[in-house]
Amino acid sequence: VHGNSSATDEEIEETVSLIRRLGVEDEVRKIAKRYADQALHHLNLLPNGSGKIWLEKLVEFVVKRRH
């Protein structure tokens, strides 16, 4: 479902379940953290403001959440 913005809730649940069954959840989280770090680096180039703060919080939420 990676990159599929039209993935259904069922497809997402199946993917999460597969990741857990295969025992690769930690590796997937490490990859997500690397993407988040890159996003935060690029956001740091933007001027300060409420939009930037909102995006930074969104990045943190996405990486820290448990499905």
Side-chain angles (χ1 to χ4, degrees):
V1 293
H2 175 67
N4 180 2
S5 61
S6 62
T8 65
D9 288 345
E10 183 177 319
E11 291 170 324
I12 293 169
E13 286 292 332
E14 288 174 16
T15 302
V16 170
S17 178
L18 178 62
I19 288 169
R20 288 183 176 148
R21 280 196 317 269
L22 293 174
V24 295
E25 186 174 359
D26 287 340
E27 184 61 29
V28 170
R29 289 193 179 281
K30 287 178 190 175
I31 293 168
K33 177 75 168 95
R34 282 197 305 262
Y35 278 113
D37 289 344
Q38 289 176 3
L40 290 171
H41 169 76
H42 290 287
L43 284 172
N44 211 22
L45 303 174
L46 298 175
N48 291 331
S50 61
K52 178 180 174 179
I53 293 169
W54 185 86
L55 288 170
E56 289 169 338
K57 289 182 181 192
L58 178 62
V59 169
E60 291 175 20
F61 168 78
V62 169
V63 173
K64 290 181 181 179
R65 73 182 178 152
R66 297 283 180 179
H67 193 273

